[in-house]
Amino acid sequence: MRVVSPPLLAPDEPPAWHIEHADGRSDYVLICDHAGNRLPRRLGTLGLAADALASHIAWDIGAGAVASGLGDALDACVVLQPYSRLVIDCNRPPGSADSIVSRSERTTIPGNVAISRAQAAARESAIFVPYHAHVRELLDARLRRGQPTLLIALHSFTPVYLGIPRPWHVAVLYNRDPRLARLVAQALRDEGGLVVGENEPYAVNDDTDYAIPRYGEARGLPHVELEIRQDLIDDAAGQSAWIARLARLLLHVHSDLC
């Protein structure tokens, strides 16, 4: 007799997506793959202490709040993914080496060390698949309406990684299509006082990223992946400052691009 496992997410747990300003008038659409650090109850704590689950290994600190605030400021649609990247990384192709990690920086993730294919598939089915289905449905609906779309994937990065400080305040990432990214990078540099990384400390490619290759490049949408250093947006004051800055710059960039 085949044993059927219960769903990963209980009926009273939130879904793997949260959409704000679904009918926003802005051409901008913001997605945040690592907006939260929530864990499904069935996974417990993945064997981690509370401080590890609150740290950068579990989520992109501040990114969700900045994305939400930008949505408010621009009247732009925002799609947030509330579950921890340690459950499954929604910006990695399923089955890739970094989709479900057993180690992040110097921290072993006990609950991921001996994960089976069935367990990995359950995480993909419960979180990755529905989140991206809603992103695709949103983009498809805008296309049907003839509504232009400029895609921003919003992330944040730790100021120190493996003991090495990162000097950049913000990073602008792209791969094959630099249309929007280079305008945003120049606008940030023109602010003065900001160290702006261009494809550093990360770069986008088909093997290590999901959103930009699938939604930006494959659909021909102008796009950029924005990374803000976490110590700049780990409190309300920093988040508000970056929301105001980015809202102003993105409106300026939009006029240049369109």
Side-chain angles (χ1 to χ4, degrees), residues 78-142:
V78 181
V79 190
L80 305 167
Q81 199 291 105
Y83 286 90
S84 173
R85 64 191 305 161
L86 298 179
V87 179
I88 187 167
D89 194 320
C90 285
N91 192 37
R92 301 291 184 271
S96 66
D98 292 330
S99 173
I100 300 175
V101 295
S102 58
R103 187 174 180 84
S104 182
E105 197 172 4
R106 293 190 173 101
T107 302
T108 298
I109 318 301
N112 291 350
V113 169
I115 186 172
S116 69
R117 289 185 180 180
Q119 290 168 332
R123 298 187 191 188
E124 180 182 346
S125 177
I127 294 173
F128 186 97
V129 169
Y131 168 65
H132 283 291
H134 278 75
V135 174
R136 286 193 299 273
E137 288 169 9
L138 168 71
L139 297 177
D140 289 344
R142 292 173 70 91

Side-chain angles (χ1 to χ4, degrees), residues 194-206:
L194 292 178
V195 181
V196 181
E198 197 162 331
N199 282 333
E200 55 184 352
Y202 308 111
V204 175
N205 66 62
D206 294 344

Side-chain angles (χ1 to χ4, degrees), residues 218-237:
R219 291 173 178 253
L221 302 176
H223 57 269
V224 62
E225 183 171 322
L226 275 179
E227 297 258 5
I228 306 170
R229 205 174 68 198
Q230 288 170 357
D231 59 318
L232 304 177
I233 54 170
D234 61 1
D235 61 19

Side-chain angles (χ1 to χ4, degrees), residues 29 39 42 49 52-53 73 85 126 142 163 173 176 192-193 197 199 204 212 214 240 245:
V29 170
L39 298 178
R42 285 193 59 207
L53 292 172
R85 64 191 305 161
R142 292 173 70 91
L173 313 185
R176 300 175 181 90
N199 282 333
V204 175
I212 292 302
R214 272 68 173 186
S240 294
R245 170 184 283 125

